[in-house]
């Protein structure tokens, strides 16, 4: 896939990263990793453009890294969605995102929106007008500080616009609900 197709998503990601960095500085927050690591959370991704971007980045990795990530992705999917284990959330199974290598993301530049925005207290306005607020991760101890708004709504709206454009350009229809591990395994098909 032509990398230029990702220009709108890359621009959106830069805006997200800048807004996150500004808000994190106001809180004095630096993610150091923690026991409640977001890389252990069960995140589903719902956009074809992000799936394509993750796949694009994955295919740029050196072959030995791709092979290691693929092995971890296979284990992650088997354990997370197995009827034998009762299909539990990754944190209850002690699983880490298959892209996490020694606390670092193998695809950091290609990481999806939720990975970019996770951690800070935030708010967003749903399409039905309801305001949703999230407290941020436990490691930030944000409840001991004055609230600094981190408004996600414009990012969600722009991602929806970028997704619609991508779907039209690539004739994508239907719904998507996959973990990063599932996306990695799909890239092998």
């Amino acid at each position: 896939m032509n990398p230029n197709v990702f220009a709108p998503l890359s621009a959106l990601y830069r805006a997200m990263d800048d807004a996150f960095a500004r808000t994190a500085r106001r809180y004095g927050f630096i993610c150091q990793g923690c026991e409640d690591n977001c890389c252990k959370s069960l995140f589903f991704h719902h956009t074809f453009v992000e799936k394509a971007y993750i796949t694009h980045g994955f295919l740029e990795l050196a072959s030995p890294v791709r092979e290691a990530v693929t092995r971890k992705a296979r284990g992650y999917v088997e354990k997370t969605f197995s009827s034998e284990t009762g299909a539990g959330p990754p944190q209850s199974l002690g699983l880490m995102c298959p892209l996490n290598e020694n606390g670092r993301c193998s695809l950091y530049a290609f990481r999806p929106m939720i990975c970019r925005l996770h951690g800070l207290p935030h708010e967003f306005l749903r399409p039905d007008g309801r305001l949703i607020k999230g407290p941020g991760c436990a490691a930030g101890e944000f409840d001991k500080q004055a609230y600094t708004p981190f408004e996600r709504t414009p990012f969600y709206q722009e991602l929806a616009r970028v997704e619609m454009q991508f779907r039209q350009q690539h004739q994508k229809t239907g719904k998507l609900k996959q973990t990063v591990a599932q996306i990695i395994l799909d890239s092998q098909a």
Side-chain angles (χ1 to χ4, degrees), residues 20 24 34 42 44 50 67 70 85 90 96 112 121 132 160 162-163 187:
F20 186 96
C34 65
L42 182 60
F44 287 102
E50 286 191 302
E67 291 169 11
T70 300
T85 62
M96 185 74 73
I132 304 294
V162 169
E163 172 71 357
S187 74

Side-chain angles (χ1 to χ4, degrees), residues 41-117:
S41 296
L42 182 60
F43 290 132
F44 287 102
H45 307 281
H46 302 276
T47 62
F48 287 98
V49 68
E50 286 191 302
K51 177 179 179 171
Y53 197 56
I54 292 166
T55 299
H56 174 74
F58 175 71
L59 295 175
E60 287 189 353
L61 293 173
S63 183
V65 177
R66 278 196 321 269
E67 291 169 11
V69 169
T70 300
R71 278 192 302 277
K72 290 193 287 185
R74 197 170 289 114
Y76 181 99
V77 168
E78 287 171 1
K79 291 177 184 170
T80 302
F81 302 106
S82 166
S83 59
E84 292 175 19
T85 62
Q91 59 269 58
S92 70
L93 300 171
L95 298 175
M96 185 74 73
C97 174
L99 295 172
N100 188 303
E101 182 62 37
N102 299 320
R104 309 287 299 179
C105 180
S106 301
L107 285 182
Y108 190 77
F110 298 90
R111 71 197 188 284
M113 177 182 72
I114 192 63
C115 300
R116 291 170 190 273
L117 298 181

